[in-house]
Amino acid sequence: PGGRTVEQNASLPVKAEQPMIGIRPGFDTGGAPEGQPLDFNAIVLDAEGKRIGAKGAAWTLKRLTYDYQWFNADGSWRYETIVRAAKIDGGTADIGAEKPFHLSRAFSWGSYRLEFSAAGMAPASIDFWAGYYSAGGGINAAPDKLAVAVDRANAKAGETVNVKID
């Protein structure tokens, strides 16, 4: 109205029809330091939201690579983001009803995805970034921008700041 945008938020509860796997990272999902162990905990909730166990849940860790496909449409250049996921690790996990499954791993610079799945359950995944980071994260938002990140937000004159340009 009046040429101004209007914003509204609404929360709608959704009842699950099958058990769901939940993943909680032990760090800010925008980014995490390179080479330091990153922690993840996985739980399973039934359709009523109560914790249950799951034997033999599969987990997969993938490294994500972002590329861009340029194309011309109606006289304008546009692009679409293409994400390639390459498996780097995986295994099975027994997720307890009382104790979550814990995974800890160190990562080099880059973007990753951790996935969990089990028979009869809704799968779950989480994307995260490892390496130097800033509040905006380090993942490319567009093909004409480079992923640039620093190891800290504030530095004083004369201090060394590590910068990563991907």
Side-chain angles (χ1 to χ4, degrees):
R4 287 176 257 167
T5 59
V6 175
E7 181 179 321
Q8 293 180 328
N9 294 318
S11 294
L12 300 172
V14 177
K15 183 172 169 125
E17 295 183 9
Q18 60 185 350
M20 297 179 291
I21 300 171
I23 305 169
R24 177 181 288 179
F27 57 93
D28 174 23
T29 57
E34 179 177 16
Q36 294 181 9
L38 305 181
D39 297 315
F40 301 88
N41 288 312
I43 63 170
V44 178
L45 300 173
D46 66 12
E48 302 302 318
K50 294 186 172 115
R51 285 185 55 174
I52 61 172
K55 298 268 188 204
W59 64 270
T60 305
L61 186 60
K62 297 177 179 180
R63 183 174 178 98
L64 304 178
T65 305
Y66 295 84
D67 287 316
Y68 301 93
Q69 177 68 47
W70 287 93
F71 60 93
N72 191 309
D74 300 324
S76 298
W77 281 100
R78 299 180 189 187
Y79 68 92
E80 65 181 358
T81 305
I82 299 169
V83 181
R84 289 189 318 240
K87 180 180 176 181
I88 58 173
D89 202 357
T92 58
D94 291 335
I95 303 172
E98 300 298 323
K99 184 178 179 186
F101 172 73
H102 180 77
L103 179 67
S104 184
R105 188 73 42 102
F107 295 90
S108 60
W109 169 274
S111 183
Y112 298 88
R113 175 177 297 142
L114 176 61
E115 301 174 341
F116 277 88
S117 63
M121 298 183 188
S125 67
I126 184 171
D127 291 357
F128 61 96
W129 181 263
Y132 302 141
Y133 63 96
S134 64
I139 299 172
N140 295 346
D144 57 346
K145 296 181 181 178
L146 293 173
V148 179
V150 296
D151 63 346
R152 58 186 146 155
N154 298 314
K156 295 180 181 168
E159 290 182 332
T160 300
V161 175
N162 294 306
V163 179
K164 172 74 174 178
I165 302 172
D166 195 12

